Amino acid sequence: MKSFLKSLKEEFQKPLAANVQPLAPTNTQPQSYTNAQPPSYENIPGIPQNGNEYSKLLGYSLYFFEAQRSGALPANNRIPWRHNSALTDGHDVGLDLTGGYYDAGDYLKFTLPLSWSLTIVSWGALEWFDGYQLSGQTGYLYDMVKWGTDWLLKAHPSPTVLYVEAGIDTVDHDYWGPDTGIPYPRPSLCIDASRHDYANLLLQHAVDLFKFAETKPHQVYTVAVPQAKEAYESSRYDDKLVFAALWLFQATNQIGYLDRAIHYFNEFSQDEWTSAINWDDHSGSNYILLAMLTERAGRDCSPWKAEAEKYLDGMVNQRHKECHLTNGGLLWLKGDSDSASLNVALNISFALLVYARHATTPDKIRSYTNFAVSQIDYLLGKNPLNKVYVVGAHHSSPKNPHHAGASGGTDIGNIRHPPVSRYVLYGAVVGGPDKKDRYNDDREDYARSEVTLDYNAPFQSLMAYQVMHANYPPPYLAF
């Protein structure tokens, strides 16, 4: 199968269904706000003005990714409070590592969570591309993915060298302010061994990196780059070897990659895994991919479907250890949900909806779909607080995400100032409520108010699904 960007270009050329037209973007500039009521959708270029509310949320998520851009911004930048920034990244090692995305509300860039986020967005786009097309967001999607993959190409300058971080937390986390004052030094940290067709270029880098990853002895990247432990310490590598081999099979149709994935799965005994799906743990995703891809390859997929459904049933019915619903209905996994509770629920919802059409019984299809939609509804206001956990989407949305640039503040000793963020970080999904469904709109409480690329990745894909399939509007329109 062709890689994602080539497939996406082909999707762009397909016509919409008869009598369906993309929603028209707007052309005015976004504004800041200092009261409880955010500006209307019409103030943002590219956000659909009419029709499906989920299209607006999809457009918002793409806007959030633009607000995270690093480097020299393009002429069509839609975020007036963002500037060209970190223009010397990579100079310390004689490379150009400018561009890419800031990971969260600070100014650090990481390879691992970025690659995970791009994968989830791309996977969702392959599943539900019509949602982007119906919403008039295909161009924004393409730009969003390419802004990230362009940087990943820079971060892989040779087959056995991969830069995994730009900037360092001990310096960056002593600064709170706009992107015009990012502190230095910004070291470039790597792991190593001591323009033709863009899709093929990406694929070749992926093949080279997989060969590099297979080099023994295996170890997590933070052994080689301990500076990354504070922000993104990796707990395992086996799940990522399986995940990478499966996607290379998806991209190349070379059966050897599927065989490698199954080999690693068995070698590292990845069955009976019950943890959340996220940037650090891909096991739940592997069950689903193995079921789907063995089926596509014409092999016996029943053992893999059994693994996938055992995992998903455990989430839907709360059979896994330490898995339950909050009183308000949010999926909660002890440990994983203690911070970024919404990310846990949204990643599981993404997995459920991707797999649902492959499920073995009609009851499972309904169960998986209904549970996933219940988690989306919770995010969008069907919760005890009637709160919408997407910044700028509703008057109940958080006003103070943990984000230095959007806050407008400049005092690292008092990041609660100003009391309401100066700029609206439209489309950002916050970490989420605690296990008692409580949420304190406090940017200093980063476990609840943090925003990151990987929080938005499943949300964006789920909104594309909702554009295509939802038969009722988001809950927040009722209040």
Side-chain angles (χ1 to χ4, degrees):
M1 178 176 286
K2 297 180 178 71
S3 59
F4 169 69
L5 284 171
K6 184 176 286 184
S7 299
L8 189 56
K9 288 179 180 178
E10 292 174 351
E11 291 284 357
F12 289 156
Q13 297 170 1
K14 293 180 181 178
L16 284 167
N19 302 320
V20 177
Q21 296 295 325
L23 297 171
T26 61
N27 295 301
T28 55
Q29 288 295 316
Q31 301 173 355
S32 65
Y33 72 92
T34 57
N35 52 37
Q37 181 66 41
S40 63
Y41 299 112
E42 287 80 6
N43 291 339
I44 302 177
I47 302 297
Q49 296 185 58
N50 308 303
N52 196 323
E53 190 75 11
Y54 292 105
S55 292
K56 298 174 183 178
L57 292 168
L58 180 61
Y60 267 5
S61 184
L62 288 159
Y63 181 92
F64 164 73
F65 277 97
E66 287 188 32
Q68 297 301 105
R69 283 176 173 174
S70 177
L73 301 182
N76 63 353
N77 170 48
R78 295 186 290 173
I79 294 82
W81 47 272
R82 278 301 203 194
H83 312 85
N84 295 342
S85 61
L87 297 180
T88 60
D89 280 0
H91 286 195
D92 59 318
V93 291
L95 295 172
D96 174 12
L97 295 178
T98 61
Y101 291 103
Y102 297 122
D103 174 69
D106 50 20
Y107 298 105
L108 300 177
K109 300 189 294 193
F110 297 94
T111 300
L112 178 57
L114 172 61
S115 59
W116 168 257
S117 301
L118 293 175
T119 299
I120 294 301
V121 168
S122 300
W123 190 357
L126 288 173
E127 295 285 335
W128 307 305
F129 185 81
D130 285 353
Y132 288 93
Q133 197 169 16
L134 290 166
S135 304
Q137 299 297 305
T138 56
Y140 292 114
L141 168 66
Y142 183 84
D143 290 346
M144 175 255 150
V145 173
K146 191 173 184 297
W147 193 270
T149 54
D150 280 352
W151 188 79
L152 291 176
L153 291 176
K154 292 180 178 182
H156 184 226
S158 65
T160 59
V161 175
L162 177 67
Y163 282 85
V164 297
E165 182 175 347
I168 189 73
D169 64 292
T170 53
V171 175
D172 190 87
H173 289 177
D174 280 337
Y175 173 73
W176 187 265
D179 55 11
T180 52
I182 295 174
Y184 287 83
R186 287 177 58 81
S188 305
L189 306 176
C190 77
I191 53 176
D192 54 33
S194 64
R195 179 106 86 166
H196 56 281
D197 183 79
Y198 190 69
N200 290 336
L201 178 63
L202 292 173
L203 181 58
Q204 186 57 55
H205 278 265
V207 169
D208 290 343
L209 280 170
F210 184 68
K211 290 179 181 177
F212 183 29
E214 287 195 295
T215 304
K216 293 183 177 180
H218 297 134
Q219 64 182 24
V220 296
Y221 84 104
T222 44
V223 171
V225 186
Q227 300 94 323
K229 284 185 177 181
E230 184 66 27
Y232 284 99
E233 182 172 11
S234 180
S235 62
R236 48 197 301 228
Y237 56 79
D238 53 311
D239 57 317
K240 296 161 191 66
L241 286 168
V242 176
F243 193 72
L246 288 169
W247 278 109
L248 282 170
F249 172 63
Q250 172 88 335
T252 66
N253 213 28
Q254 294 179 20
I255 201 69
Y257 286 120
L258 181 59
D259 292 336
R260 295 301 290 162
I262 293 171
H263 165 76
Y264 284 128
F265 183 96
N266 292 326
E267 178 181 353
F268 296 111
S269 301
Q270 289 187 18
D271 56 339
E272 302 294 338
W273 206 257
T274 60
S275 62
I277 296 172
N278 56 36
W279 61 267
D280 184 45
D281 196 328
H282 303 356
S283 298
S285 303
N286 289 340
Y287 300 148
I288 293 162
L289 283 168
L290 280 163
M292 294 167 58
L293 295 179
T294 53
E295 184 175 43
R296 196 193 86 188
R299 294 185 175 183
D300 179 13
C301 62
S302 56
W304 302 112
K305 285 195 171 186
E307 287 284 353
E309 292 179 11
K310 181 169 60 176
Y311 175 80
L312 295 174
D313 288 346
M315 295 296 178
V316 171
N317 301 310
Q318 296 86 60
R319 292 174 184 164
H320 295 321
K321 183 180 179 182
E322 309 293 0
C323 176
H324 69 277
L325 295 181
T326 67
N327 288 338
L330 180 67
L331 178 66
W332 191 275
L333 275 66
K334 185 177 180 180
D336 289 307
S337 296
D338 292 343
S339 61
S341 58
L342 289 170
N343 186 244
V344 171
L346 295 182
N347 278 329
I348 293 298
S349 298
F350 173 84
L352 287 164
L353 293 176
V354 166
Y355 181 78
R357 63 190 172 91
H358 301 274
T360 53
T361 69
D363 284 345
K364 288 185 184 294
I365 295 173
R366 285 190 294 270
S367 173
Y368 295 168
T369 302
N370 291 342
F371 187 83
V373 171
S374 76
Q375 300 303 290
I376 296 171
D377 285 349
Y378 185 104
L379 170 81
L380 298 179
K382 193 175 181 179
N383 56 64
L385 300 179
N386 288 340
K387 179 170 281 294
V388 179
Y389 290 104
V390 182
V391 176
H394 187 259
H395 63 77
S396 69
S397 297
K399 307 300 186 296
N400 294 298
H402 184 87
H403 194 278
S407 75
T410 57
D411 184 357
I412 187 64
N414 181 21
I415 68 170
R416 288 192 171 108
H417 179 78
V420 176
S421 294
R422 183 167 300 155
Y423 306 107
V424 188
L425 193 62
Y426 288 101
V429 175
V430 296
D434 64 17
K435 62 184 177 182
K436 294 185 178 180
D437 301 293
R438 299 173 300 194
Y439 183 82
N440 183 23
D441 191 11
D442 179 359
R443 69 176 69 96
E444 196 164 45
D445 183 7
Y446 62 85
R448 310 268 78 85
S449 62
E450 181 82 285
V451 296
T452 71
L453 302 178
D454 64 287
Y455 294 178
N456 262 71
F459 167 70
Q460 184 166 305
S461 292
L462 291 169
M463 291 305 98
Y465 172 90
Q466 289 292 82
V467 170
M468 294 172 61
H469 298 291
N471 55 17
Y472 60 86
Y476 62 76
L477 290 188
F479 53 85

